[in-house]
Amino acid sequence: MSTLEQEIKEIIIASLALEDVVPDDIDAAAPLFGDGLGLDSIDALELGIALQKRYGVTMGADAEVTRQYFASVNALAGFVAAQRTR
Amino acid sequence: MSDGLPLTEVASRTGLAERAIAWRNGGLLRRDAFLHQVARWQAALAAQSGQRVAIYFEDPFDFAAALYGAWYAGKTPYLPGDAQPATVERLRAMVDILAGDLPGAISLTSAVAAQPNQPLDPVNTRLVMFTSGSSGEPTALEKKLAQLDDEIHTQHEAFGRHWARHPDLSIYSTVTHQHIYGLLFFVLWPLSAGRPFVTRRITYIEEMIGRPNPTPALLVASPAHLKRLPDPSGPTPTHRHIEAILSSGGPLPPEAALHTAASLGVAPIEIFGSSETGGIAWRQRTIHGDRWQPLPLVEWRIDDGLLAVRSPYLPSADWWLTADRVRADREGSFVLLGRADRIVKIEEKRVSLSAIERRLTESPLIAEARVLTLAAGVSLRVAAVVVPSEAGREQLAAQGRRRFNETLRAWLADSVERIALPRRWRHVSALPLNAQGKTTEASLIALFDADMPPVQWIERGTTHALAELSVEAGERAFDGHFPEAAILPGVVQVDWAIRCARDCFELAAPVRSLEILKFQHPVLPGTRLHLELQLRPATEVVTFRITSSVGAHASGRVLFKAFDV
């Protein structure tokens, strides 16, 4: 697994204060929202802020595009790798 | 109450010098001693500038003397529910003088001759007390002496006549007189009726066993204590002398009421009310079942499914709407159906925390549940404290916390909005209770901060305290210390003792040394620990003992700063 994916998993756990979850519990290909990790719209907001702080990436206003970025850890890693400014 | 005094005349009526006031260390304190103490407090407080005096005492005799002394000095007493650092901090902003077992309290005038007193004015004589804080911060409430007098007399009329007939009745209490229920029945009713109270609050009902020459007793108890009674061992001579048991301050489960009746020979008289409303109704489970009998002079009606009351014990003549759902039953009685829903708004969505609790307790995995909100980042998040059932405990042990929580979230998902699904969970063997037997919001929030099991305070004094801590299999302290066996490390036990001692005795100084540490039996998951703390008076030295049904686990002494012995 790439270090970026590992890092994003750690950011998810820390920024959302997930308890009893370690990075290895998160399947990088599984959906983060809905049935997968069970994250919701408040988490998306929270996670967006954390990713912006860490990588300088901004989520667009287009909800549909944002939803695609948040599809899985892999998708997020792809988005961050392409857009990061730090 | 044929020989009863109005509360206005407890310290003024002449010619009752021999009247019994209190039992302390086996000796009887009489009214002449009480009046002398009232005079001392009156002199001490009259010499102070400022009108508002906080009164907090462990000892109800000293408390009663300071209370009447304050009234005769023309002061308004404020009665904090406890002497926690946070409570004292809030109190300092509200009062001018501190009296009793509080840091910075005034000292008592050495000796002064008791003067004849006039009866107190029933309307202008007042005190301020505080709600218990089960639903947030404690709020201050003012009570007129006339309200308190009405309460003890009508409650006595409703259910007290048969036990009050004993001239040698003594009153025992497991609850503090600093809250309304203990104030009324542990101190004010006994003062009015001339029946002595036993100054040392009892921690275990079993302490009443082995009293020399047992006399008829009234036990003023909390549901928390009655729920913990041992199994019936057959009637003992002591039990035969318990004439009546009162229970108030929270709901008493039906099993506990019946268990008490079997253990102690009398069914508890349950009193329903609150600090704000005073007494509303009473019942005895063996006679009335679920049906609450309104107290004399209490009118009630149903407003939108909720109980509303009107009575002389309320501050005004208006209807007071409670947060209890209710239905009418026969002969003017009513049955409570639980608390009204607690609604919070999360991201503009209305979320009923009560509905989440109800749904959780419908799960076969859950026995009890409390749901609250915690501030987190950009929004509020829902958190749950659950007491797993037998089946729940097995599943938790087999699945681990994460999968167990996922199971519960899935159980809720049908009826609860996704953003309101509990995000953080705590699994406990019992909900945290304070010394009044209440689960406060603050104690639930504390579960999410500390890596320590919830502390159930059985007794919480200024120099002595007793707490119960249930060590669960899932306790974080077991993680990583002994890979082969789940054993609670000794260092963790000492840490818990120190944290409880700091919390209880307001000890801010660093720990300087640990002495005579002993570790006996290992603590295994599922143990209910008793932690006893003793502060050596006027020092910062605390002795602790950790025991359970297995025996002694640990003991030692903690010095909170360098201290010259």
Side-chain angles (χ1 to χ4, degrees), chain B residues 225-237:
Chain B
H225 278 82
L226 297 177
K227 281 197 262 185
R228 290 202 188 90
L229 277 182
D231 285 333
S233 54
T236 71

Side-chain angles (χ1 to χ4, degrees), chain B residues 1 28 45 48 64 78 89 100 149 170 203 292 300 320 416 461 463:
Chain B
M1 218 169 353
L28 191 58
L45 288 166
Q48 299 284 324
Y78 280 59
E89 212 43 55
D149 214 15
S170 307
T203 305
W292 290 100
W300 67 275
W320 175 283
V416 178
T463 57

Side-chain angles (χ1 to χ4, degrees), chain B residues 56 80-88 101-103 462 504 506:
Chain B
Y56 180 88
D82 55 62
Q84 299 294 300
T87 309
V88 176
D101 305 321
L102 293 171
T462 47
C504 192
E506 195 181 0

Side-chain angles (χ1 to χ4, degrees), chain A residues 1-14 23 47 51 54-55 73 80 84 86:
Chain A
M1 188 198 332
S2 82
T3 29
L4 183 57
E5 282 164 11
Q6 179 71 16
E7 216 174 81
I8 287 174
K9 288 181 184 181
E10 282 163 11
I11 290 172
I12 292 172
I13 292 170
L47 187 52
L51 293 173
R54 173 68 184 81
Y55 302 112
V73 170
V80 168
R84 66 190 294 174
R86 53 179 172 259

Side-chain angles (χ1 to χ4, degrees), chain A residues 16-22 25 33-43 45-46 49, chain B residues 346-347 376-381 401-402 405 409 418-420 423-427 448 476:
Chain A
L16 307 181
L18 299 183
E19 291 178 328
D20 308 314
V21 178
V22 295
D25 293 333
F33 294 87
D35 292 338
L37 201 51
L39 305 189
D40 58 35
S41 54
I42 302 174
D43 296 318
L45 205 57
E46 205 79 73
I49 294 169
Chain B
I346 297 179
E347 298 296 284
V378 296
S379 181
L380 287 177
R381 301 257 54 168
R401 289 192 292 263
R402 186 163 75 91
N405 297 345
R409 279 168 60 98
R418 174 174 286 280
I419 52 162
R423 165 49 56 81
R424 300 180 69 192
W425 298 81
R426 289 294 177 266
H427 316 96
F448 292 90
R476 279 149 218 275

Side-chain angles (χ1 to χ4, degrees), chain A residues 24-82:
Chain A
D24 285 351
D25 293 333
I26 304 176
D27 178 350
L32 290 174
F33 294 87
D35 292 338
L37 201 51
L39 305 189
D40 58 35
S41 54
I42 302 174
D43 296 318
L45 205 57
E46 205 79 73
L47 187 52
I49 294 169
L51 293 173
Q52 185 178 8
K53 271 192 202 151
R54 173 68 184 81
Y55 302 112
V57 295
T58 25
M59 303 292 156
D62 187 335
E64 190 47 48
V65 177
T66 306
R67 194 164 306 149
Q68 286 170 15
Y69 295 152
F70 278 117
S72 65
V73 170
N74 285 336
L76 266 181
F79 163 71
V80 168

Side-chain angles (χ1 to χ4, degrees), chain B residues 77-352:
Chain B
Y78 280 59
L79 314 184
D82 55 62
Q84 299 294 300
T87 309
V88 176
E89 212 43 55
R90 266 200 308 274
L91 204 54
R92 282 186 203 281
M94 287 183 226
V95 301
D96 309 300
I97 315 160
L98 300 177
D101 305 321
L102 293 171
I106 60 160
S107 50
L108 184 53
T109 307
S110 52
V112 71
Q115 300 292 324
N117 287 318
Q118 292 299 311
L120 290 164
D121 183 299
V123 176
N124 293 319
T125 305
R126 300 177 179 199
L127 57 77
V128 174
M129 45 196 339
F130 296 87
T131 58
S132 61
S134 358
S135 47
E137 287 276 291
T139 1
L141 297 167
E142 191 177 66
K143 297 272 178 191
K144 299 182 188 80
L145 191 54
Q147 279 172 286
L148 299 169
D149 214 15
D150 281 348
E151 281 230 36
I152 59 171
H153 286 92
T154 48
Q155 300 204 17
H156 174 258
E157 280 302 305
F159 50 70
R161 268 178 293 183
H162 83 274
W163 41 266
R165 68 178 192 264
H166 293 280
D168 53 350
L169 185 81
S170 307
I171 291 86
Y172 288 75
S173 180
T174 71
V175 301
T176 166
H177 50 262
Q178 300 279 145
H179 278 287
I180 183 76
Y181 163 54
L183 178 72
L184 291 175
F185 288 103
F186 187 26
V187 170
L188 295 182
W189 182 80
L191 282 177
S192 162
R195 306 287 189 267
F197 49 80
V198 177
T199 57
R200 205 167 79 85
R201 217 165 357 125
I202 57 174
T203 305
Y204 294 114
I205 312 278
E206 295 89 312
E207 289 172 41
M208 292 178 72
I209 297 166
R211 288 183 297 153
N213 313 312
T215 50
L218 165 67
L219 175 60
V220 180
S222 71
H225 278 82
L226 297 177
K227 281 197 262 185
R228 290 202 188 90
L229 277 182
D231 285 333
S233 54
T236 71
T238 304
H239 294 158
R240 270 191 271 111
H241 286 83
I242 298 180
E243 290 291 324
I245 301 168
L246 303 182
S247 171
S248 190
L252 181 68
E255 323 73 78
L258 300 175
H259 181 72
T260 304
S263 289
L264 301 180
V266 280
I269 294 166
E270 298 169 54
I271 307 166
F272 166 61
S274 67
S275 314
E276 292 95 335
T277 58
I280 294 175
W282 72 286
R283 73 176 173 203
Q284 214 163 357
R285 180 69 67 173
T286 46
I287 299 168
H288 305 110
D290 285 337
R291 296 189 308 279
W292 290 100
Q293 315 296 308
L295 286 164
L297 308 181
V298 172
E299 296 173 78
W300 67 275
R301 69 180 190 199
I302 302 176
D303 281 357
D304 260 351
L306 298 181
L307 177 69
V309 293
R310 189 159 69 170
S311 81
Y313 325 131
L314 279 163
S316 80
D318 298 331
W319 286 93
W320 175 283
L321 188 63
T322 70
D324 296 289
R325 294 180 300 127
V326 67
R327 75 172 162 78
D329 207 300
R330 61 177 189 265
E331 291 151 15
S333 68
F334 59 82
V335 173
L336 294 175
L337 304 170
R339 302 286 283 178
D341 279 11
R342 288 153 61 221
I343 306 286
V344 295
K345 265 194 161 179
I346 297 179
E347 298 296 284
E348 303 309 312
K349 291 208 167 83
R350 279 167 59 84
V351 172
S352 165

Side-chain angles (χ1 to χ4, degrees), chain B residues 83-85 455 457 460 498-507:
Chain B
Q84 299 294 300
V455 180
W457 291 100
R460 184 168 185 156
I498 291 172
R499 283 157 60 169
C500 288
R502 277 194 195 289
D503 182 21
C504 192
F505 303 136
E506 195 181 0
L507 297 165

